[in-house]
Amino acid sequence: MPYIYINIILAFVISLIGTLIYRSHLISSLLCLEGMILSLFTLNALLSLNINFALSTIVPLILLVFAACEAAVGLALLIIISNTYGLDYVQNLNLLQC
Amino acid sequence: TLTLTSLIILTLPITTTLLQNNKTNCFLYTTKTAVTYAFAISLIPTLLFVQSNQEAYISNWHWMTIYTLKLSLSFKLDFFSLTFMPIALFITWSIMEFSLWYMHSDPHINRFFKYLLLFLITMLILVSANNLLQLFMGWEGVGIMSFLLISWWHGRTDANTAALQAMLYNRIGDMGFIMMMAWFVIHLNSWEFQQIFLTNPKNTTLPLLGLLLASAGKSAQFGLHPWLPSAMEGPTPVSALLHSSTMVMAGVFTLIRFYPLMENNLTIQTLTLCLGAITTLFTAICALTQNDIKKIIALSTSSQLGLMMVTIGINQPHLAFIHMCTHAFFKAMLFLSSGSIIHNLNNEQDIRKMGGLYKTMPITSTAITIGSLALTGMPFLTGFYSKDPIIETANMSYINTWALLITLIAVSMTASYSTRIIFFALLGQPRYPSLTQINENNPYLVNPIKRLILGSIFMGFFISMNTIPHTTPQMTMPPHLKFMALAVTLLGFTVATELNNMTHNLMFKQPSRMHTFSTTLGYYPITTHRILPYLSLTMSQNLATTIMDSIWLEKMIPKNLTTMQKTAASLVSNQKGLMKLYFLSFLLSITLGLLIAL
């Protein structure tokens, strides 16, 4: 397997771990989520260019569209949480409000 | 000759308006003499018709052809139009002379005469039209002139609202008229009367319904009637011309014009009969307790119009027409004499403040007496020749008994309210301030009234002697039916005089329910004039703000979605929100899975 792919997959795994392990702020999880999406995008783009399969060049674009929606939803959730609590600390979320 | 003379009649008044010398004073006199000559000239075709019974149709100028519909300027000179035109011209002549006295101090009297003249011209167009388009032009013309003339004193809000009321109620009738025109042009491809009557279609209910609606609007039948008592805001000559003799006749006239179609359609006849019967009773009830002399006479006009509708409903259009012609005379005279009373008592219109005019205004009081007697159908005056045959024919025909009873009750009420006018205005002691000067000596006041008195007495005889009856009247009937009209009239007279004499000095603390019903015109204007605008305004408000803005834009999708999701989520989920724990367990399970696989 070419080294470039392993490199990007490694970036993906690191971002994944960053999403799942975080200390107190929810926004750091969302940031690592964006990192995951970025690495996936780069992987897809390089793959379709190297294999010379022109029809799959649309896949990274669609991925971008859904990523944008997902980022918007994540930020909306963040805003609602900080409306009720004032901060986005994770330990607040067990109070079962709203 | 017939053609030329009738066209000259129509153009004579028009040339007067075209001269447009508004500044000079002689405009008035030239107008009046133009109408006088027009009347004299219009007698020529009428007398020719009486002698030869020959109808004429004049079709002059081909205006346009829309595909297969040919529109031209055509006049129909038959019994109806030839008899009505001299009468209309005569009454307009008398009213113009009267308004030289009545509107003497008005600075815009030239404009007033111009409006009256325009009204006369459009009325003549309506009467002599041979196709529906021309009739519609005359119809709209009289509507507009009515609006302009009712709001003559346009500084007064009541006059403006009354004019608006007249216009709106007429418009509702116009919808029916347009529907009728549309039906005729679609099914019969013509607007000419000859073609309509020749083809004689079998399913004429829809256009005749439209015609009935149009006549109800123009002639103030029940449901579309409040504009007529309100139209008394205009000056008395306007009330005399428009709302007693000519304009409100336009609706009945059009119904009479369509009698060949109405003969075959029993549904429409029944509808006309019932509508006319309800109108005549309702307005007669309302006229019993009014206090404004002009309103009583206006409601009396409405009641007589209902009687004409009843006559059309029993398939006697010619009797209705004769009643229309004779009614014009005595109603115009009643209005003119009430105008004379009003002006002489310094603009006092309330009959509770008149009295004792029997000695001080002899000509006016004779006019009112003769007019009321003619109205109630006193034998051998004018009204007798038209009203009595109507009642006799109604009694002897195959008719709805309820409608007949109602008409008879209304006839007796006619006598009652006429007696009331005479009692309050003429008899008794004077109830007006004693410094008002009563002066009847002006020839402009006296001559029209005298002419109309002569007309009221003799015209019935003349018209019925010189016309050929189109349907044979019933000659033999039981005596109690023959004397029915006279009996109910005498009943009305006696009851009214007795009640007036007995209750003259009584005063009630609180009027009884029937009295308020009658005085407020049956609560009809109060309820409908508020309910209809209120309903349409609330409907539009609901549509605009509630439905569009608040429901469709806000609540339908966004708010509903949020509340639904929140309730569902809070019901269903039993999480405790320990995010870090969940993420760590996810990571642990992924790494374990990878390790086991590899």
Side-chain angles (χ1 to χ4, degrees):
Chain A
M1 198 177 267
Y3 284 122
I4 184 80
Y5 295 139
I6 296 179
N7 196 359
I8 296 181
I9 291 175
L10 194 62
F12 176 76
V13 170
I14 291 178
S15 291
L16 179 67
I17 296 177
T19 315
L20 298 177
I21 302 178
Y22 55 93
R23 270 199 52 188
S24 48
H25 283 273
L26 192 64
I27 197 169
S28 62
S29 173
L30 292 178
L31 205 62
C32 291
L33 204 64
E34 296 300 313
M36 279 165 67
I37 292 172
L38 181 65
S39 62
L40 274 177
F41 172 77
T42 322
L43 187 67
N44 265 325
L46 282 177
L47 204 63
S48 58
L49 281 174
N50 275 345
I51 296 180
N52 289 328
F53 181 38
L55 211 53
S56 70
T57 48
I58 198 172
V59 173
L61 291 174
I62 297 181
L63 183 65
L64 267 184
V65 168
F66 285 111
C69 298
E70 164 194 351
V73 170
L75 283 174
L77 279 174
L78 195 70
I79 288 176
I80 290 187
I81 289 178
S82 75
N83 269 345
T84 17
Y85 296 111
L87 294 169
D88 61 342
Y89 281 2
V90 187
Q91 49 263 45
N92 293 338
L93 292 179
N94 59 355
L95 286 178
L96 279 183
Q97 288 271 347
C98 78
Chain B
T1 50
L2 270 178
T3 68
L4 263 181
T5 44
S6 70
L7 286 181
I8 290 177
I9 295 160
L10 279 183
T11 51
L12 252 185
I14 295 175
T15 51
T16 320
T17 54
L18 290 179
L19 283 178
Q20 289 288 336
N21 40 358
N22 275 336
K23 303 294 181 275
T24 65
N25 206 10
C26 66
F27 172 70
L28 312 172
Y29 301 102
T30 48
T31 315
K32 184 174 73 74
T33 45
V35 174
T36 316
Y37 291 153
F39 164 66
I41 294 176
S42 74
L43 283 177
I44 302 176
T46 312
L47 292 173
L48 277 171
F49 173 77
V50 163
Q51 195 239 347
S52 67
N53 198 19
Q54 202 177 21
E55 302 182 343
Y57 310 105
I58 308 171
S59 189
N60 276 344
W61 174 55
H62 176 203
W63 182 32
M64 60 160 82
T65 310
I66 306 177
Y67 295 128
T68 52
L69 177 68
K70 178 173 179 227
L71 299 171
S72 56
L73 182 72
S74 64
F75 299 98
K76 177 169 170 144
L77 304 174
D78 66 338
F79 163 61
F80 297 132
S81 63
L82 279 177
T83 320
F84 193 73
M85 277 209 279
I87 294 180
L89 283 165
F90 180 72
I91 294 183
T92 314
W93 170 36
S94 305
I95 289 177
M96 279 191 178
E97 201 173 332
F98 176 79
S99 52
L100 277 175
W101 172 74
Y102 193 84
M103 310 287 294
H104 179 70
S105 56
D106 197 319
H108 300 290
I109 189 173
N110 285 337
R111 192 151 43 118
F112 187 75
F113 267 71
K114 189 165 69 163
Y115 286 170
L116 281 184
L117 198 60
L118 269 176
F119 171 80
L120 175 67
I121 294 172
T122 46
M123 188 72 205
L124 288 178
I125 292 177
L126 200 159
V127 161
S128 61
N130 196 19
N131 57 353
L132 276 176
L133 186 65
Q134 209 170 323
L135 202 141
F136 191 60
M137 288 199 278
W139 186 275
E140 291 296 303
V142 296
I144 293 176
M145 294 327 292
S146 150
F147 173 78
L148 286 174
L149 280 169
I150 294 176
S151 62
W152 176 253
W153 291 311
H154 51 79
R156 194 180 140 88
T157 21
D158 279 341
N160 283 334
T161 50
L164 207 58
Q165 234 178 324
M167 208 60 220
L168 288 176
Y169 277 114
N170 268 332
R171 261 287 168 252
I172 299 178
D174 288 347
M175 293 296 118
F177 200 94
I178 293 181
M179 177 170 81
M180 174 177 75
M181 287 169 78
W183 195 93
F184 279 133
V185 89
I186 289 177
H187 284 90
L188 299 177
N189 191 29
S190 162
W191 277 331
E192 304 267 329
F193 285 153
Q194 280 74 36
Q195 190 161 340
I196 294 176
F197 298 152
L198 269 177
T199 50
N200 203 6
K202 288 287 170 278
N203 48 348
T204 52
T205 309
L206 190 60
L208 289 178
L209 266 179
L211 179 62
L212 189 61
L213 181 64
S215 311
K218 199 65 144 192
S219 302
Q221 301 298 308
F222 183 72
L224 295 173
H225 66 278
W227 68 270
L228 193 51
S230 313
M232 297 297 121
E233 297 285 336
T236 311
V238 168
S239 304
L241 189 55
L242 271 71
H243 306 119
S244 69
S245 349
T246 36
M247 185 176 118
V248 292
M249 300 305 166
V252 180
F253 190 83
T254 324
L255 263 183
I256 293 176
R257 265 288 157 96
F258 275 89
Y259 79 89
L261 290 181
M262 286 188 60
E263 276 177 335
N264 300 328
N265 196 335
L266 285 177
T267 320
I268 297 290
Q269 282 184 12
T270 322
L271 272 176
T272 321
L273 178 71
C274 295
L275 185 65
I278 294 179
T279 307
T280 171
L281 183 68
F282 183 75
T283 48
I285 290 178
C286 292
L288 283 177
T289 55
Q290 295 295 317
N291 289 322
D292 184 356
I293 190 173
K294 282 173 73 172
K295 277 206 168 54
I296 300 182
I297 306 180
L299 289 167
S300 152
T301 310
S302 200
S303 181
Q304 295 300 307
L305 285 171
L307 186 67
M308 285 177 223
M309 284 283 201
V310 165
T311 326
I312 298 177
I314 55 177
N315 204 9
Q316 299 290 333
H318 303 279
L319 284 181
F321 178 72
I322 296 178
H323 188 63
M324 197 168 104
C325 294
T326 53
H327 171 262
F329 280 104
F330 42 80
K331 197 46 71 71
M333 185 171 71
L334 278 175
F335 266 112
L336 289 191
S337 36
S338 74
S340 143
I341 294 181
I342 290 171
H343 236 45
N344 274 321
L345 290 182
N346 209 7
N347 296 331
E348 182 58 61
Q349 280 185 310
D350 197 336
I351 56 174
R352 296 173 290 193
K353 283 193 177 176
M354 306 174 188
L357 293 172
Y358 182 62
K359 293 283 167 60
T360 48
M361 298 176 72
I363 298 180
T364 312
S365 44
T366 45
I368 290 188
T369 322
I370 293 180
S372 303
L373 286 176
L375 176 63
T376 58
M378 165 97 163
F380 304 116
L381 287 182
T382 308
F384 175 71
Y385 287 99
S386 53
K387 205 164 183 183
D388 215 55
I390 293 177
I391 306 284
E392 280 176 18
T393 325
N395 277 335
M396 295 302 292
S397 54
Y398 183 66
I399 192 180
N400 196 346
T401 316
W402 169 79
L404 177 63
L405 279 176
I406 283 184
T407 317
L408 288 173
I409 295 176
V411 167
S412 75
M413 285 188 185
T414 311
S416 300
Y417 58 70
S418 304
T419 322
R420 189 165 186 258
I421 293 181
I422 295 179
F423 184 78
F424 275 95
L426 301 180
L427 304 173
Q429 299 294 318
R431 291 185 289 275
Y432 49 88
S434 47
L435 284 182
T436 50
Q437 295 163 338
I438 298 185
N439 182 9
E440 270 193 333
N441 285 327
N442 198 332
Y444 287 141
L445 168 62
V446 163
N447 284 337
I449 295 186
K450 276 193 206 163
R451 278 200 298 269
L452 285 174
I453 288 180
L454 284 176
S456 302
I457 299 177
F458 294 116
M459 277 319 286
F461 179 70
F462 279 145
I463 292 180
S464 56
M465 283 302 124
N466 290 328
T467 58
I468 303 172
H470 288 249
T471 54
T472 52
Q474 272 278 0
M475 292 298 178
T476 58
M477 59 187 83
H480 62 270
L481 288 181
K482 182 86 179 165
F483 292 126
M484 177 83 73
L486 197 57
V488 294
T489 313
L490 282 175
L491 181 72
F493 268 137
T494 47
V495 165
T497 34
E498 281 302 314
L499 279 177
N500 277 331
N501 278 328
M502 284 199 301
T503 62
H504 185 55
N505 292 323
L506 276 181
M507 192 185 83
F508 22 52
K509 291 198 189 123
Q510 197 187 19
S512 67
R513 291 251 190 91
M514 278 304 293
H515 188 263
T516 42
F517 176 81
S518 175
T519 316
T520 54
L521 297 178
Y523 309 120
Y524 185 92
I526 301 180
T527 47
T528 48
H529 289 172
R530 283 198 191 164
I531 281 187
L532 290 173
Y534 177 73
L535 282 178
S536 45
L537 283 175
T538 47
M539 180 185 78
S540 56
Q541 189 195 20
N542 274 337
L543 268 179
T545 46
T546 315
I547 290 184
M548 211 39 214
D549 284 350
S550 104
I551 292 184
W552 192 251
L553 291 179
E554 277 183 20
K555 292 204 182 120
M556 176 73 91
I557 297 184
K559 292 237 167 84
N560 267 349
L561 205 59
T562 50
T563 44
M564 199 164 59
Q565 295 295 325
K566 271 195 223 166
T567 45
S570 54
L571 274 178
V572 168
S573 69
N574 48 1
Q575 295 177 9
K576 293 188 186 53
L578 307 164
M579 288 290 297
K580 290 210 289 192
L581 190 64
Y582 302 150
F583 276 164
L584 279 174
S585 60
F586 181 64
L587 185 64
L588 200 62
S589 46
I590 293 264
T591 44
L592 273 180
L594 275 176
L595 281 177
I596 292 177
L598 290 176

